[in-house]
Structures are given as C-alpha cells and as structure tokens.
Amino acid sequence: MSGISRKNERGEQVFLLPLEMAEKIARHDGWDIARVQRYVFDEGQGVARAPESIHPIVTGGAGYKMSYLPIWGGGSQMVMRRL
C-alpha cells in the first residue's frame, strides 16, 4: 500500500500534554482520560477512528505548549503498558 493511499486514514493519534496543562484539566470537574479523549475526538473532526485511539501523554517541563505526533496510517497499532 502506498503512502498516498494511507494519507487520509484515521488511525491512532498521540499528543504530548505538558504537566501544567494536565493539572489544569484534572482540576476541571469530571474530566478524566476518557473525557479528554472524547473531547479531542468530537472537536478534532475525525482525527482518529475512535476516542480510544487518541493517546494524550503527559510530559515534563513548564508551559502550556502541546505537541501533536501524527502517526502513520495503515496496519500499525500502539501497544501501551504501565511501567
């Protein structure tokens, strides 16, 4: 499968969420990881195949600058486990 045909596939998505932003979201009443995933899915206009396919990762450092890490479409699937 060529890269062109995979370009518009909605696969898994990752964004790096700075600690300050994560703390602000956590203080917001009722917002847990599932709520964050649902919000990004709904507002992102189809960026992923399902809310569970959106993976916010909390990172260190000061500030409110988030980074989006686009994942290649296709047959890849993330595997995550707690350390």
Side-chain angles (χ1 to χ4, degrees):
M1 183 182 279
S2 75
I4 293 171
S5 62
R6 287 193 237 171
K7 191 175 184 180
N8 294 323
E9 280 189 35
R10 295 178 300 158
E12 293 184 295
Q13 303 298 321
V14 172
F15 67 94
L16 303 179
L17 190 60
L19 184 58
E20 287 182 48
M21 182 69 79
E23 288 173 341
K24 186 174 184 175
I25 291 170
R27 285 192 303 267
H28 195 55
D29 188 36
W31 284 69
D32 58 6
I33 189 74
R35 177 82 185 262
V36 170
Q37 290 170 312
R38 169 54 64 184
Y39 178 82
V40 173
F41 180 77
D42 291 345
E43 296 297 318
Q45 301 174 5
V47 297
R49 64 179 157 258
E52 300 79 29
S53 297
I54 298 170
H55 305 285
I57 298 174
V58 177
T59 60
Y64 284 99
K65 296 178 181 162
M66 291 187 288
S67 295
Y68 167 64
L69 304 173
I71 304 296
W72 245 6
S76 297
Q77 182 176 3
M78 274 189 223
V79 176
M80 297 171 48
R81 59 186 157 126
R82 292 185 186 268
L83 297 177

